[in-house]
Amino acid sequence: MTKEQKDNLFVLIKSLSKSEKRQFKLYVGRLGVNEDSKFLLLFNILDKLPRYDERVILKKGIVKKQQLSNLKAHLYKQILISLRLNPSHQDIRVQIREQLDFATILYHKGLYKQSLKILDKAKNLAIANEEKNIAYEIVELEKIIESQYITRSLSNRADELTIQAKELSQQNVVASKLSNLSLQLYGLFLKTGYVKNDAENKRITEYFNAHLPKYDINTLGFREKLWLYKARLWYSFLTQDFLACYKYALKWVSLFYENKDMIVLNPVFFLRGNHYLLESLFYLRKYDKFKEYLFRLESVTEEKGFPLDDNIEGLAFLYIYTNKFNLHFIEGSFQEGLPLIDEVLEQLKKYSNRIDEHHIMVFYYKIASMYFGAGDNKGCIQFLDKIISNKSLQMREDLLCFSRILNLVAHYEAGLDYNLDVLIKSTYKFLIKMEDLYEVQKEFIKFLRGLGDIYPHEVKNEFIKLHDKLKEFEDDPYQSRAFLYLDIISWLESKIKSMPIGEVIRAKFEVNLLEK
């Protein structure tokens, strides 16, 4: 993406729907003097531009270069004010915040009783919708008003507000500690992926236990439980305890289904919880439950009452299509999954400003894996190169690692062995820079390095030897992580049996279904 296209104002304008643009122009035109205002002229220019180009703006002569920055800032603010007035953006949080603003204005005008009346309604609404931070702000303002002007005859009013403030404060502290812990664990996962050894497992466990606040599950509200399940989920992901991942992701999702009003208020958390539930089921290879929850998620997002704004649409696409890929990976139906690729690439263009680059790279890895499973190694290499050549992005080490290993395998399968030695060396150098090199990776690199010295009729026997070695790591809690990203075992079996890898995985899937 070019630097010009990243201009915040330009990106905001391009994100507006037709109705939002129409409302903005009506909002600006509410006073006749604004009809030819410079910021509206700037809006119209930017709306028509295919890409941000400052030279085009200045050429129009509506503003000097020194004034452009201020004009853009003013236009940005006016667009946000217009969006705030749009009914589609009037959620509970905005409504409560608006009531708090109204009450503050009345307070400053000395209309204490009117202010307290609005605050009481806003507070009840905030508590009912688990907006306890705003509720605490409201109680604090109530305390200020009551301390300055005696408005009620109730003798216990001071005690009532004091107790309420204390309870909200304690709940907010617990929620804050849990959300901090959840965020820190998530950050660790993005940086390093799963724990690699006992030392890392011990370090993560000690960190988790030290930062987990004391709590009584029976006293926790919706919000505190949500952060608790998120924190425990990320700890379970980091330590590769996928049964625990499933347990806490299910608690997370069930919390929403038990409090359906919260789906509308917190659709992002609802979508994320479902994604992690599906991801844990994918790792556990629980096919029936995976299909059930994927179908349920897709059905809920298509319901009339489900909130859909630009952000939610982008996330729904991200999570649903990621798991549609995973469904094909479980089934081994790579050929049938190829049509998904064009759908995803088209949607990625649509949501390019709403999906972060890390998740785009994850999609590229899944696309590469789909091509590899379908036998299109050149297509696989094309998308892996997009990940490997991305020098500006800090991604999970494991994603970069297995992109390089899959790249080696795809080059070998495609017969592109003229530069395989160079690829092996560069991959090995990259892996050495990681804190630990897994036995699975060591054995695989050793195998590839020795391929050039093996006679063609001996290759199959070498595949069998490597298969036997790697099978030893399949149930190892740390080594097995390699198989979550790249099913090397199935690839080796496909070489030994002279079968496409898709057929090998499909046969395993069918056996697994019969055993159930």
Side-chain angles (χ1 to χ4, degrees):
M1 187 178 289
T2 61
K3 186 178 179 181
E4 289 78 8
Q5 288 176 312
K6 290 184 179 178
D7 180 84
N8 289 338
L9 175 61
F10 182 76
V11 170
L12 175 61
I13 290 172
K14 291 300 177 183
S15 74
L16 299 177
S17 65
K18 287 183 180 179
S19 65
E20 287 170 338
K21 290 176 184 177
R22 184 168 58 252
Q23 178 179 307
F24 174 71
K25 291 178 181 179
L26 289 170
Y27 161 73
V28 173
R30 70 198 187 284
L31 297 174
V33 293
N34 281 330
E35 288 178 2
D36 295 317
S37 63
K38 288 183 178 181
F39 74 83
L40 182 57
L41 291 173
L42 178 59
F43 176 86
N44 290 329
I45 292 169
L46 292 174
D47 188 30
K48 291 173 184 175
L49 285 178
R51 62 184 62 84
Y52 183 77
D53 191 337
E54 197 169 283
R55 293 170 300 178
V56 174
I57 300 169
L58 295 173
K59 197 173 180 181
K60 296 287 184 180
I62 65 166
V63 64
K64 293 179 181 178
K65 185 175 177 66
Q66 299 91 323
Q67 300 168 323
L68 181 58
S69 179
N70 287 337
L71 184 61
K72 284 170 61 180
H74 182 60
L75 174 56
Y76 194 92
K77 181 181 177 180
Q78 294 302 317
I79 293 172
L80 290 180
I81 292 172
S82 173
L83 288 173
R84 190 178 185 274
L85 297 171
N86 193 310
S88 66
H89 300 292
Q90 290 287 317
D91 65 11
I92 290 292
R93 293 185 188 90
V94 173
Q95 291 171 21
I96 297 169
R97 181 64 63 184
E98 185 179 61
Q99 292 301 307
L100 178 56
D101 291 343
F102 290 160
T104 303
I105 291 168
L106 291 170
Y107 161 64
H108 286 300
K109 286 187 67 64
L111 302 173
Y112 302 120
K113 287 186 177 180
Q114 293 180 43
S115 178
L116 285 169
K117 187 176 181 180
I118 290 177
L119 287 174
D120 193 52
K121 288 181 179 179
K123 179 176 65 180
N124 291 334
L125 189 62
I127 292 172
N129 287 279
E130 292 287 327
E131 294 297 322
K132 294 174 183 174
N133 281 314
I134 302 177
Y136 181 75
E137 282 186 55
I138 293 170
V139 171
E140 288 300 303
L141 182 54
E142 284 182 304
K143 284 162 63 179
I144 289 170
I145 297 172
E146 291 286 1
S147 66
Q148 292 184 11
Y149 186 77
I150 305 301
T151 57
R152 302 190 185 188
S153 58
L154 292 176
S155 59
N156 65 342
R157 179 63 176 160
D159 290 339
E160 177 189 315
L161 288 175
T162 302
I163 293 168
Q164 200 166 43
K166 184 178 180 181
E167 288 176 350
L168 286 169
S169 177
Q170 289 172 341
Q171 289 167 346
N172 285 334
V173 167
V174 172
S176 180
K177 287 182 178 179
L178 288 170
S179 64
N180 288 343
L181 177 57
S182 172
L183 187 61
Q184 289 293 336
L185 293 172
Y186 180 58
L188 279 171
F189 184 73
L190 286 181
K191 185 178 182 297
T192 61
Y194 305 105
V195 296
K196 303 173 181 68
N197 48 52
D198 285 335
E200 281 195 12
N201 196 327
K202 183 181 178 184
R203 179 170 59 83
I204 293 295
T205 300
E206 287 176 351
Y207 179 88
F208 177 78
N209 290 331
H211 290 81
L212 183 68
K214 292 182 179 180
Y215 62 87
D216 177 355
I217 193 69
N218 297 314
T219 64
L220 299 185
F222 174 90
R223 189 181 54 145
E224 295 82 51
K225 286 180 180 177
L226 179 60
W227 284 116
L228 172 64
Y229 299 151
K230 286 176 75 173
R232 288 198 170 277
L233 175 78
W234 282 117
Y235 169 68
S236 303
F237 262 125
L238 277 162
T239 56
Q240 296 185 81
D241 185 350
F242 296 124
L243 276 174
C245 289
Y246 168 64
K247 173 184 175 181
Y248 288 108
L250 184 59
K251 283 179 177 288
W252 177 342
V253 171
S254 299
L255 191 63
F256 276 98
Y257 284 126
E258 291 162 7
N259 301 270
K260 290 193 174 179
D261 289 346
M262 291 298 167
I263 296 177
V264 177
L265 189 60
N266 300 280
V268 172
F269 289 152
F270 171 75
L271 290 172
R272 286 174 70 90
N274 274 277
H275 172 62
Y276 298 133
L277 175 60
L278 289 165
E279 190 171 5
S280 58
L281 288 170
F282 170 68
Y283 290 148
L284 293 168
R285 289 298 191 265
K286 300 293 185 182
Y287 176 71
D288 291 335
K289 285 189 177 296
F290 184 94
K291 278 190 74 174
E292 176 192 339
Y293 283 110
L294 178 56
F295 176 77
R296 189 177 187 185
L297 173 61
E298 200 165 7
S299 299
V300 170
T301 58
E302 291 171 357
E303 288 177 1
K304 190 176 180 181
F306 189 79
L308 279 179
D309 56 28
D310 295 334
N311 180 45
I312 304 304
E313 281 186 10
L315 289 175
F317 152 72
L318 173 66
Y319 296 141
I320 289 171
Y321 275 83
T322 293
N323 288 292
K324 283 185 175 182
F325 271 113
N326 288 344
L327 182 61
H328 286 291
F329 295 157
I330 294 174
E331 296 173 339
S333 53
F334 297 99
Q335 202 69 40
E336 294 84 348
L338 291 177
L340 270 181
I341 294 174
D342 287 337
E343 287 183 54
V344 165
L345 292 176
E346 189 62 35
Q347 293 295 317
L348 284 176
K349 289 179 186 175
K350 178 181 176 182
Y351 298 114
S352 60
N353 291 318
R354 295 163 202 153
I355 296 178
D356 63 90
E357 201 173 358
H358 169 80
H359 281 106
I360 291 173
M361 293 300 117
V362 172
F363 262 126
Y364 285 167
Y365 186 81
K366 290 189 179 296
I367 290 171
S369 299
M370 190 73 79
Y371 274 131
F372 179 74
D376 185 348
N377 294 295
K378 289 184 178 178
C380 172
I381 292 166
Q382 177 189 349
F383 279 90
L384 290 173
D385 187 59
K386 292 176 184 289
I387 302 171
I388 295 167
S389 62
N390 191 327
K391 306 299 181 187
S392 64
L393 183 64
Q394 293 294 318
M395 287 182 290
R396 289 203 322 239
E397 286 180 353
D398 43 12
L399 180 62
L400 290 168
C401 163
F402 291 107
S403 293
R404 289 173 180 268
I405 291 179
L406 181 55
N407 189 45
L408 281 178
V409 177
H411 272 81
Y412 174 79
E413 285 283 30
L416 302 172
D417 53 3
Y418 55 88
N419 65 342
L420 198 60
D421 285 344
V422 176
L423 276 175
I424 289 170
K425 286 176 183 176
S426 67
T427 302
Y428 192 72
K429 283 180 182 177
F430 176 83
L431 295 177
I432 286 295
K433 289 178 184 177
M434 295 176 64
E435 289 185 14
D436 291 283
L437 196 58
Y438 296 94
E439 292 303 318
V440 172
Q441 296 159 350
K442 287 179 184 177
E443 293 293 342
F444 195 71
I445 292 290
K446 191 191 301 181
F447 166 77
L448 288 173
R449 292 179 84 174
L451 273 179
D453 302 324
I454 300 170
Y455 291 109
H457 67 278
E458 296 176 336
V459 171
K460 185 172 181 178
N461 192 45
E462 293 302 314
F463 279 131
I464 293 171
K465 287 181 183 177
L466 179 62
H467 178 268
D468 291 343
K469 284 181 181 177
L470 296 188
K471 283 291 282 184
E472 296 173 12
F473 302 126
E474 204 169 20
D475 297 321
D476 186 290
Y478 303 123
Q479 300 297 332
S480 62
R481 64 190 290 270
F483 307 118
L484 300 176
Y485 292 90
L486 177 60
D487 193 348
I488 301 174
I489 298 289
S490 293
W491 176 70
L492 289 169
E493 289 171 359
S494 75
K495 304 307 293 180
I496 294 166
K497 298 174 183 177
S498 299
M499 293 170 59
I501 187 172
E503 288 186 22
V504 172
I505 294 174
R506 193 177 296 114
K508 289 181 179 179
F509 165 67
E510 289 170 358
V511 168
N512 190 40
L513 283 183
L514 288 172
E515 287 176 350
K516 290 180 180 179

